[in-house]
């Protein structure tokens, strides 16, 4: 199993960088769809802009590669120690280091997917004041954290948000490098309700927004850099504000940055108020009549086109006593389903031949009681926990823990 860890981390890094570059490149290629009558000067400006964008992407890829090289080095050293451990305690310590590397790698891919606006969010009604206070406690406990003064109004309306993503947004804005590099004055955090939606909305009534402001005296800040403060840079410290802005946009809000003549750098976060329907979590639904779930070892059809992941998942399931039949693509899985006899289908969402949702539909047509678990490393709108639950399926996001996956088969 340990031999799988380093290739898996490397695959995660490569896939994440490829995805970002592909999306960015698609956007950039549209720049060249210019009318033939475009002036030579305009074409030259476009090419310069394209070159600058490509340079930024190269720097981003370099930063990701640097981080993953460190993670892989730690994992490789820990793997060697685990293989040659002289005691169970030393072996356990090495395995914990490997698990930590996996968590760090997963964290980087989450940030990349957030930056690319590609991963799904799960909105639930969130009380912003409570979540903000919890986030401030986390920030205050960090070494070198600035003092924070809060002015949070009681009775703020709920916002429609993914709690984990919203907490990350708060941490990235309040912990941005400009605030951390300043000294002296505390960070001031305020929260209130605001509306209409934007300053240019005029007198027309608009939706209610919750406004969260963070400001700090930052003398010497380059005023001109305000215009690109939400653009990613080479250093990972320059990712925080772009990611925060992306999270806000995907929640229907936005962030405004300003720098006053008095030297105060301020960020205003706007989030739409109002309750949202709670999205289902990754928890098992009630077993259907005739379902074999919860009755002991199951016969599982595992459909996964990644050979290493499929092999390791199959070994893990067999170790727990389940019978596993493997399929390397959707068409092979479809043929196996036709033969019948399975208690559960565990399938990747995106595969050659047939997608996971297509296989799930065919599986249920032949066996209404079969348990269906869909897996995905990137939610692109085809399937998410809410949609899966509506269809009576389970959904688990990659990377997942063994305990979570096995829990779906109990």
């Amino acid at each position: 199993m340990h031999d799988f860890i380093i290739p898996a981390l490397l695959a995660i890094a490569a896939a994440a960088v490829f995805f970002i570059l592909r999306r960015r490149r698609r956007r950039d290629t549209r720049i060249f769809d210019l009318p033939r009558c475009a002036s030579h000067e305009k074409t030259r400006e476009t090419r310069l802009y394209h070159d600058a964008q490509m340079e930024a992407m190269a720097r981003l890829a370099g930063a990701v590669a640097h981080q993953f090289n460190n993670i892989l080095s730690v994992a490789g050293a820990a793997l060697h120690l685990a293989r040659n451990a002289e005691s169970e305690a030393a072996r356990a310590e090495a395995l914990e280091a490997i698990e930590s590397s996996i968590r760090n790698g997963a964290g980087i891919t989450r940030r990349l997917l957030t930056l690319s606006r590609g991963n799904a969010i799960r909105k639930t009604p969130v009380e912003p004041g409570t979540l903000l206070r919890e986030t401030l406690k986390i920030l205050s406990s960090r070494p070198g954290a600035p003092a924070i003064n809060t002015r949070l109004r009681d009775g703020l309306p709920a916002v429609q948000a993914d709690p984990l993503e919203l907490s990350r947004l708060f941490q990235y804005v309040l912990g941005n490098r400009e605030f951390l590099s300043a000294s002296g004055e505390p960070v001031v955090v305020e929260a209130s309700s605001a509306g209409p939606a934007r300053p240019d909305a005029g007198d027309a009534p608009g939706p209610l927004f919750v406004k969260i402001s963070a400001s700090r005296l930052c003398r010497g800040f380059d005023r001109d850099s305000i215009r690109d403060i939400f653009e990613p840079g080479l250093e990972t410290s320059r990712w925080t504000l772009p990611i925060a802005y992306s999270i806000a946009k995907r929640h229907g809000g936005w962030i405004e940055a300003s720098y006053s003549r008095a030297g105060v750098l301020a960020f205003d976060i706007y989030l739409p108020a109002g309750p949202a329907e709670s999205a289902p979590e990754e928890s098992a639904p009630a077993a259907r009549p005739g379902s074999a779930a919860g009755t002991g070892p199951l016969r599982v059809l595992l459909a996964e086109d990644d050979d290493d992941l499929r092999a390791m998942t199959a070994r893990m399931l067999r170790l727990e006593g389940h019978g596993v039949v493997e399929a390397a693509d959707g068409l092979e899985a479809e043929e196996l389903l036709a033969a019948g006899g399975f208690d559960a289908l565990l399938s990747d969402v995106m595969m050659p031949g047939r997608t996971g949702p297509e296989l799930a539909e065919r599986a249920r047509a032949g066996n209404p009681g079969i348990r269906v678990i869909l897996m995905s490393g990137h939610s692109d709108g085809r399937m998410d926990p809410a949609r899966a639950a509506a269809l009576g399926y389970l959904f688990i996001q990659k990377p997942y823990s063994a305990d979570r996956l096995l829990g779906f088969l109990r």
Side-chain angles (χ1 to χ4, degrees):
M1 179 174 181
H2 299 149
D3 295 331
F4 164 69
I5 293 173
I6 292 181
L9 287 171
L10 188 60
I12 292 172
V17 174
F18 173 77
F19 177 76
I20 294 295
L21 294 180
R22 185 181 66 175
R23 289 179 63 88
R24 296 293 184 187
R25 187 174 181 181
R26 283 179 178 174
R27 294 171 188 167
D28 293 338
T29 53
R30 289 197 294 268
I31 296 171
F32 292 97
D33 295 336
L34 299 175
R36 293 186 177 182
C37 61
S39 67
H40 174 75
E41 185 64 24
K42 184 65 176 179
T43 303
R44 179 175 176 275
E45 292 177 1
T46 299
R47 288 174 177 169
L48 289 174
Y49 173 77
H50 177 266
D51 290 343
Q53 290 291 90
M54 292 301 295
E55 181 181 358
M57 288 190 290
R59 289 184 177 183
L60 179 60
V64 173
H66 174 74
Q67 290 235 329
F68 265 97
N69 277 335
N70 290 339
I71 290 172
L72 293 171
S73 297
V74 171
L79 181 58
H80 175 79
L81 294 175
R83 285 173 171 168
N84 299 278
E86 297 180 354
S87 66
E88 282 302 317
R91 179 182 176 85
E93 184 178 358
L95 291 176
E96 173 57 34
I98 293 173
E99 290 181 3
S100 177
S101 296
I102 294 173
R103 289 193 295 270
N104 290 338
I108 291 176
T109 58
R110 281 197 302 270
R111 292 194 291 273
L112 287 170
L113 288 173
T114 301
L115 185 60
S116 70
R117 299 180 175 91
N119 61 330
I121 57 175
R122 306 168 192 170
K123 292 184 180 180
T124 61
V126 176
E127 205 290 300
T130 300
L131 186 60
L132 185 56
R133 290 184 181 93
E134 294 174 355
T135 304
L136 292 175
K137 288 181 181 178
I138 296 173
L139 292 173
S140 299
S141 64
R142 293 178 179 174
I148 300 176
N149 292 343
T150 59
R151 304 169 187 170
L152 307 183
R153 182 175 299 176
D154 292 331
L156 289 174
V159 298
Q160 305 174 17
D162 181 320
L164 293 178
E165 291 293 290
L166 188 57
S167 177
R168 188 174 293 120
L169 185 158
F170 292 157
Q171 291 186 53
Y172 285 168
V173 171
L174 298 173
N176 74 81
R177 72 172 188 170
E178 308 300 344
F179 276 3
L180 295 179
S181 61
S183 60
E185 298 296 322
V187 175
V188 178
V189 179
E190 303 175 89
S192 61
S193 56
R198 287 184 178 274
D200 58 3
D203 297 330
L208 183 65
F209 278 71
V210 171
K211 177 183 177 182
I212 297 169
S213 302
S215 60
R216 191 181 193 191
L217 185 63
C218 298
R219 292 192 176 94
F221 178 76
D222 182 5
R223 184 186 300 273
D224 292 337
S225 65
I226 275 287
R227 62 189 176 190
D228 62 354
I229 200 167
F230 295 116
E231 292 295 324
L234 174 60
E235 307 88 352
T236 54
S237 61
R238 287 292 304 272
W239 293 12
T240 57
L241 289 174
I243 293 174
Y245 190 86
S246 177
I247 294 173
K249 288 287 288 183
R250 293 172 58 240
H251 280 83
W254 70 95
I255 306 176
E256 296 176 357
S258 62
Y259 186 65
S260 70
R261 294 184 180 276
V264 175
L265 178 63
F267 296 93
D268 295 326
I269 305 168
Y270 292 87
L271 298 168
E277 292 185 4
S278 179
E281 295 296 322
E282 294 177 350
S283 56
R288 289 170 172 260
S291 171
T295 60
L298 307 178
R299 189 165 187 259
V300 180
L301 173 58
L302 171 59
E304 169 61 63
D305 59 326
D306 185 287
D307 294 338
D308 291 332
L309 180 57
R310 186 179 65 256
M312 295 307 300
T313 302
R315 288 176 60 183
M316 179 175 64
L317 296 179
R318 290 182 181 122
L319 186 63
E320 293 294 314
H322 298 296
V324 181
V325 177
E326 301 177 40
D329 57 45
L331 291 177
E332 183 181 359
E334 186 177 44
E335 293 178 1
L336 292 168
L337 278 173
F342 294 103
D343 302 310
L345 168 66
L346 176 59
S347 174
D348 191 15
V349 169
M350 293 302 299
M351 288 186 301
R354 295 285 184 269
T355 66
E358 289 172 340
L359 289 176
E361 185 177 351
R362 286 164 172 76
R364 280 283 167 80
N367 179 7
I370 192 171
R371 171 148 292 201
V372 175
I373 306 170
L374 298 176
M375 310 174 290
S376 178
H378 168 64
S379 297
D380 61 355
R382 297 172 187 265
M383 187 58 62
D384 56 35
R387 189 171 301 178
L391 296 170
Y393 308 152
L394 290 166
F395 180 88
I396 187 167
Q397 188 75 35
K398 299 176 183 176
Y400 47 77
S401 68
D403 289 340
R404 180 176 288 275
L405 177 59
L406 293 172
F408 286 169
L409 295 171
R410 294 191 180 110

